[in-house]
Amino acid sequence: MHRQPLIDALLAYREAHPDEKDTVDRFHAFVRGQSDCFERSLAIGHITGSAWVVDRSGGNVLLTHHAKLDRWLQLGGHADGVADPLAVAFTEAREESGLDDFEAVSRDIFDLDIHPIPARRDEPEHLHYDVRYVLRATGPTDYTVSDESHDLAWIPLEKVPNYTTDPSMLRMLRKWQERQ
């Protein structure tokens, strides 16, 4: 079953983060219940893959000022049928930053988030079931702003709260700082 690797990763994440049990259980039920969970065409919601991209030192994170949502966020996007959210995170990090060289700090899920995406044109409001990983930029860090962003910036960790008050972003910041 193409969903089984993600299901296994969700169960491992629940073990490591018992305080996030409710989110993991919702996520798990969605993946088990929707065979097409990786497809953007699933109108109720779909899996996305995101990257908390850090520089070599781990002291800065690359954030995008997302064009459609008009907020500072981590890099990421739709799975579009790819059943490996880590592969999606790598693809989206490359596409949205223009950087080529990344390594996964871990293959384990770093964070999970379920958030609504507002209705837009012919697309109804729906949920993104976002699977997040930490990627470290290992090559040159001069980025290119894509058409999906208003801007990109390497943000020192201590300044991230100046860019966002989003609880999931601050949760990832806390998790990353606890690893340092």
Side-chain angles (χ1 to χ4, degrees):
M1 179 166 81
H2 70 292
R3 293 172 288 161
Q4 194 60 49
L6 178 54
I7 289 168
D8 294 343
L10 290 169
L11 296 175
Y13 185 85
R14 183 170 48 197
E15 288 284 321
H17 301 278
D19 55 317
E20 297 180 42
K21 181 185 180 314
D22 291 345
T23 298
V24 179
D25 288 349
R26 283 181 58 208
F27 217 111
H28 184 257
F30 174 74
V31 173
R32 287 197 68 79
Q34 302 295 328
S35 63
D36 54 349
C37 63
F38 298 104
E39 300 294 340
R40 189 188 306 212
S41 59
L42 181 60
I44 61 169
H46 31 263
I47 300 294
T48 55
S50 290
W52 178 261
V53 177
V54 296
D55 63 2
R56 287 182 197 190
S57 74
N60 297 286
V61 61
L62 185 61
L63 299 182
T64 176
H65 188 216
H66 195 278
K68 289 181 185 174
L69 299 175
D70 197 29
R71 299 184 329 191
W72 286 95
L73 300 168
Q74 77 285 350
L75 305 175
H78 294 97
D80 289 329
V82 176
D84 179 357
L86 178 57
V88 173
F90 271 104
T91 298
E92 293 294 329
R94 287 183 181 108
E95 288 177 358
E96 292 183 9
S97 72
L99 302 178
D100 289 321
D101 301 318
F102 297 100
E103 66 182 9
V105 170
S106 171
R107 295 192 59 77
D108 295 335
I109 295 171
F110 175 60
D111 189 64
L112 291 172
D113 194 60
I114 304 168
H115 52 268
I117 299 299
R120 189 171 143 81
R121 289 186 285 239
D122 61 343
E123 190 173 83
E125 180 176 278
H126 60 281
L127 295 175
H128 276 183
Y129 290 81
D130 199 25
V131 187
R132 298 162 170 185
Y133 298 89
V134 178
L135 302 184
R136 185 180 309 278
T138 57
T141 57
D142 294 333
Y143 53 77
T144 302
V145 179
S146 77
D147 60 356
E148 295 183 38
S149 303
H150 290 306
D151 198 6
L152 289 171
W154 284 106
I155 311 297
L157 296 178
E158 66 274 6
K159 295 195 178 194
V160 169
N162 296 342
Y163 285 78
T164 182
T165 58
D166 179 272
S168 76
M169 292 293 293
L170 297 177
R171 184 179 61 239
M172 286 190 293
L173 172 64
R174 178 186 49 77
K175 285 179 177 179
W176 180 245
Q177 288 174 319
E178 289 171 356
R179 284 185 170 197
Q180 298 296 333

